[in-house]
Each structure stands twice: as structure tokens, then as C-alpha cells.
Amino acid sequence: MSSKILIIGACGQIGSELTYKLREIHGNDNVIASDISYTNLEIVNSGIFEIVDAQDYSSIHICVEKHKIDTIYLMAAMLSATGEKYPMKAWDLNMSSLFNVLNLAKAKFISKVFWPSSIAVFGPTTPKEQTSQHTIMEPTTVYGITKQVGERWCEYYFDKYGVDVRSIRYPGIVSWKTMPGGGTTDYAVEIYHKAITDGKYESFLSEDTELPMMFMDDAITATIQIMDAPANQLSIRSSYNLAAMSFTPKDIAGEIQKHIRDFIITYNPDFRQQIADSWPKSIDDSYARKDWNWNHQFDLEKMTNEMILQLKKKYAPAEN
Ligand code: AKB
């Protein structure tokens, strides 16, 4: 029998692309997209869509029963920058949604869970270069705190209740289909859009702020790979470090200038600078590479080629 999948937070940056990919693999009828509102009409109209409130256990439970779901990808979350503006809302959303899904798995209504963690689990006291899987973790953002605590709970539910929950610490994700919202790494998406539409961009991070990043295609591949891996190959049940590339706003601007020679970048760091400064510059993801054969495909040059190509098409005036 084919797996029946529910994606919670399917209208968001990663949730939307995960929905398209999983539908390609499992068929449209086996992948149910859901979100709290109809914010992404392309997703809403692309297959089965349900309104689900991730903070309401019964809202998820009803959907699980209705569609005989066995696997949930919980992609709803408040990210780092918005989380600093609404600390209690971020805590409530990020934690209650995780508990709801873990408890559905504990009660055996579903059998498998994907929950994303983040490089935000690390903090200013973490070694910055090639940050290892097991190291000092003292996050200073509400988002990072929710992800770190969430990781502990995932491992706890696996150890104590046998819940098959799998997780990745995503770096900043760059993509062209759906805009990210409320993150510190969002500049690396905005910059490409502004390069095409305005020929210039004002970065909210300083020129030499180096962060771990990944192209969406790689992030989706990794997510599907970890979910498909045999359970006995997974040695980490908190969350796996995952890496592809690291770059600064200056590096990305230089790469864009190879395509758009007159592109201008200026720098005007805001409160997000402090968040970025608390995170690692690069990540050691050897556990993911060893346990489930993780291997990234996109570096900064290849990603930039693809972003410029796709966004030029997206913003091209419609021909009639
Ligand atoms: C953010 O910037 O908050 C996210 C993340 C790194 O998890 N993109």
C-alpha cells in the first residue's frame, strides 16, 4: 500500500516544494497539503488541500483520520527574525505543533514524522567553523531555543515510545518558487529577486557575514532521503547536521555580478545581524553523509545560474 502523507505548513517556502516533489513520487492523491490559511493559491489548487491548525491536536487528528494518513511532515514554524518580535507566539507555535504530531505518533494514529530543526540550535559559544554534530549548544534566539528543545523531545519520543521521528538541521534555504518569511537567511533569496527586478539590493546583514546555506533542490533531496532511509541506519534521533555551502552577502553579490554586471549591493545591518553572528559559519555533516549517503549537488555558482535563469523567466513580461 502506498504511503499517505500529510504536509502541515504546505504553503510555506519548503512545505510547498516538498508537496510538489512528494506528489511526483507518490501520486497526487497520496499527498495532502495543509496550512492554517489559503496563502499559496498554487498549492491550494494543485491537489488535495485541507485547512489544518498545527496548534490544535484535534484539527490534525481529524485530517489524519479522514485521509488515513501514516506520515506527517511538520513544516509549520515561526522562524528566527519573526520569533524575536513575538517570542511567546514562536514558543507556542513551534512547541505545541511538535507535541501534537509526536503525540499522534505515540498514540499510533501515524507511523512516521519529519520535523525540521535548524542551524539556529547553535549559539555564540558554539565553535563557528565546521561545527560538529555534538558540540556546545546555547542558542540565543527564541526560534533556536524551540529547535533545540524540540530536538531533545524528538529523541525522547524515539527512545521512550518508539516514535519514528526523523530530523535535519537545515541551513538557510535558497529557492525561487515560494518566498521565505521571517528568517535571518532570507536575504540570500531576496537578493536574487531584487537583482532581477531592481538591479540593486540593500542587505540587512554585513558584507562579511558567512552562513551555511543550501539550494532548495538539495534540501528536498535530503528530506526525502532521510525519510526513506532504513530505520536501523539512523544513528541520530535528535537532528542531523546538514551542509552544502557557506557564503557571505559579498560572495553572493560577486556571483550575481557575473550575470548582471551592473548589480549594486549596499549594506545596512539591522537586528538580524546579531542573530546571524550567533550562528556557525560552516557545518560538519559527516553523520548524514555516512548514515544515509547525503551528498549535495549545488554550490554557489550552480545555484546562482539556476536562480537567475528561473527568476528571469518568472519576471519576464507575459507574451501574448
Ligand atoms: C532562519 O533564518 O530563521 C531560517 C533557519 C536558518 O532556520 N532560515
Side-chain angles (χ1 to χ4, degrees):
M1 205 184 73
S2 192
S3 170
K4 274 269 197 167
I5 295 168
L6 173 65
I7 298 159
I8 301 176
C11 288
Q13 186 200 13
I14 307 178
S16 57
E17 301 225 19
L18 200 52
T19 304
Y20 296 132
K21 192 64 184 179
L22 288 170
R23 283 190 176 147
E24 238 175 80
I25 298 170
H26 298 276
N28 249 26
D29 294 348
N30 292 318
V31 180
I32 316 306
S34 76
D35 214 305
I36 183 90
S37 59
Y38 301 100
T39 46
N40 184 336
L41 287 181
E42 246 176 275
I43 280 291
V44 172
N45 297 325
S46 69
I48 306 170
F49 182 87
E50 298 277 2
I51 292 288
V52 168
D53 178 357
Q55 291 187 256
D56 177 359
Y57 181 90
S58 61
S59 168
I60 310 173
H61 187 203
I62 289 167
C63 187
V64 163
E65 294 286 274
K66 178 176 168 190
H67 294 283
K68 307 209 173 352
I69 299 294
D70 56 61
T71 301
I72 292 183
Y73 290 73
L74 174 56
M75 308 311 286
M78 192 180 288
L79 301 188
S80 57
T82 312
E84 291 311 286
K85 290 189 183 151
Y86 309 104
M88 288 320 297
K89 276 192 184 159
W91 174 260
D92 288 343
L93 169 61
N94 295 0
M95 297 316 300
S96 66
S97 59
L98 176 60
F99 278 120
N100 286 340
V101 172
L102 289 177
N103 284 328
L104 278 165
K106 182 184 168 200
K108 308 237 179 296
F109 290 115
I110 53 171
S111 56
K112 224 183 204 182
V113 175
F114 177 81
W115 175 78
S117 185
S118 159
I119 54 163
V121 292
F122 301 114
T125 51
T126 306
K128 291 224 175 282
E129 307 280 354
Q130 285 302 305
T131 300
S132 53
Q133 177 71 39
H134 304 289
T135 184
I136 301 165
M137 292 163 83
E138 296 180 322
T140 48
T141 61
V142 178
Y143 173 65
I145 293 169
T146 64
K147 290 297 178 188
Q148 192 199 20
V149 174
E151 287 189 8
R152 297 290 87 228
W153 278 110
C154 286
E155 194 179 87
Y156 187 90
Y157 269 66
F158 172 75
D159 284 343
K160 306 285 181 212
Y161 311 125
V163 167
D164 189 357
V165 51
R166 300 164 181 220
S167 178
I168 283 169
R169 290 173 182 154
Y170 286 131
I173 306 296
V174 179
S175 65
W176 55 269
K177 276 189 194 146
T178 308
M179 287 301 274
T184 302
T185 58
D186 294 6
Y187 92 87
V189 178
E190 291 171 8
I191 193 170
Y192 287 109
H193 286 261
K194 291 286 181 193
I196 303 288
T197 57
D198 300 7
K200 60 181 191 294
Y201 178 65
E202 183 171 275
S203 169
F204 57 75
L205 297 183
S206 66
E207 62 180 323
D208 53 359
T209 308
E210 186 177 354
L211 287 170
M213 297 278 184
M214 181 174 286
F215 189 51
M216 179 63 85
D217 294 27
D218 276 339
I220 298 297
T221 302
T223 306
I224 290 169
Q225 256 180 2
I226 193 177
M227 287 300 271
D228 284 348
N232 61 6
Q233 269 176 230
L234 302 178
S235 62
I236 308 276
R237 287 297 185 153
S238 50
S239 189
Y240 278 90
N241 273 9
L242 192 75
M245 61 184 115
S246 289
F247 55 76
T248 64
K250 194 176 170 188
D251 294 334
I252 195 170
E255 210 52 51
I256 290 173
Q257 279 155 355
K258 291 184 189 166
H259 299 259
I260 304 167
R261 237 186 316 139
D262 298 336
F263 174 67
I264 295 167
I265 183 162
T266 51
Y267 302 95
N268 188 12
D270 65 13
F271 73 100
R272 289 167 280 193
Q273 184 65 46
Q274 207 184 352
I275 301 176
D277 287 342
S278 77
W279 291 347
K281 291 180 191 295
S282 58
I283 298 286
D284 171 0
D285 61 354
S286 41
Y287 279 88
R289 290 180 192 261
K290 180 168 68 64
D291 286 2
W292 39 277
N293 297 322
W294 162 242
N295 208 350
H296 69 278
Q297 301 297 319
F298 285 82
D299 59 12
L300 178 57
E301 188 183 351
K302 193 169 167 195
M303 176 175 85
T304 302
N305 291 344
E306 187 65 14
M307 287 295 288
I308 302 273
L309 180 79
Q310 297 298 344
L311 289 177
K312 273 190 174 160
K313 282 194 226 159
K314 192 171 178 143
Y315 287 112
E319 283 172 30
N320 41 22

